[in-house]
Amino acid sequence: LGLSGPPGAGKSTFIECFGKMLTERNHKVSVLAVDPSSSTSGGSLLGDKTRMTELSRDMNAYIRPSPTSGTLGGVTRTTNEAILLCEGGGYNVVLVETVGVGQSEFAVADMVDMFILLLPPAGGDELQGIKRGIIEMADLVAINKADGDLAVPARRIQAEYISAMKLLRKRSKVWRPKV
């Protein structure tokens, strides 16, 4: 599964909760977390693993943070090979978290079985849903943080994306993206 979304959408938190649920069901989970590299220093924080403390201690989980090192598209130059290595190593679920910073960070969509776009409930107006790029590549749009005071805005943005996605050309004859 490939996961992307804007900063603050809760990608790492979602992956930790989802990953723990999967390992509790006896799955072996690998997380390939891609972090942006600085165009100035070339360095990268690789901080996603620190936000997945419970999952990082789970014996049925493997978390590998990697820098983009200037590669565009939200993944690294070797993400596809890393997915294959994880599968070969016996991990039956591989989650790839992209840098997730914009409309063109969807290279992972061609590497995975399902591409999930994670969005916060107050992430923009309805026009965001009809922009070409990452939205039309998503197999699933998940509105995250949809509880408490954000439940009503989450329902509103869900309805907006459902409506907007009807305007996009279908990529598959058998699957219609869900929100």
Side-chain angles (χ1 to χ4, degrees):
L1 302 173
L3 291 109
S4 192
K11 294 181 297 293
S12 295
T13 304
F14 174 84
I15 288 171
E16 179 169 52
C17 292
F18 187 55
K20 286 297 292 176
M21 182 197 76
L22 290 168
T23 60
E24 288 168 3
R25 295 178 181 183
N26 298 318
H27 290 282
K28 287 191 70 180
V29 177
S30 175
V31 178
L32 303 174
V34 182
D35 282 337
S37 297
S38 167
S39 58
T40 305
S41 69
S44 187
L45 290 177
L46 304 178
D48 286 314
K49 191 171 184 175
T50 63
R51 285 186 292 236
M52 300 179 208
T53 54
E54 285 184 45
L55 191 59
S56 67
R57 292 190 300 257
D58 192 314
M59 295 305 292
N60 287 318
Y62 168 73
I63 301 173
R64 166 91 179 155
S66 299
T68 58
S69 301
T71 303
L72 300 177
V75 293
T76 71
R77 184 176 47 82
T78 58
T79 297
N80 202 44
E81 290 83 356
I83 292 169
L84 294 173
L85 284 170
C86 290
E87 289 173 340
Y91 292 93
N92 62 336
V93 178
V94 179
L95 305 173
V96 182
E97 178 184 356
T98 73
V99 294
V101 293
Q103 291 286 71
S104 62
E105 307 298 330
F106 56 78
V108 74
D110 292 328
M111 301 176 189
V112 296
D113 296 320
M114 177 173 264
F115 178 51
I116 302 167
L117 179 60
L118 205 62
L119 297 172
D125 59 25
E126 66 279 351
L127 295 178
Q128 295 299 318
I130 58 172
K131 284 187 178 177
R132 300 301 186 244
I134 198 166
I135 302 294
E136 62 187 349
M137 298 303 292
D139 296 306
L140 178 70
V141 176
I143 311 301
N144 200 19
K145 303 180 181 183
D147 57 352
D149 292 342
L150 295 175
V152 172
R155 289 279 183 218
R156 186 181 70 246
I157 201 154
Q158 177 191 24
E160 290 171 358
Y161 273 85
I162 288 170
S163 187
M165 290 185 79
K166 290 177 184 173
L167 303 175
L168 300 176
R169 187 171 16 153
K170 295 179 182 102
R171 289 181 43 224
S172 169
K173 291 180 182 179
V174 295
W175 178 256
R176 180 175 208 87
K178 307 290 183 205
V179 180

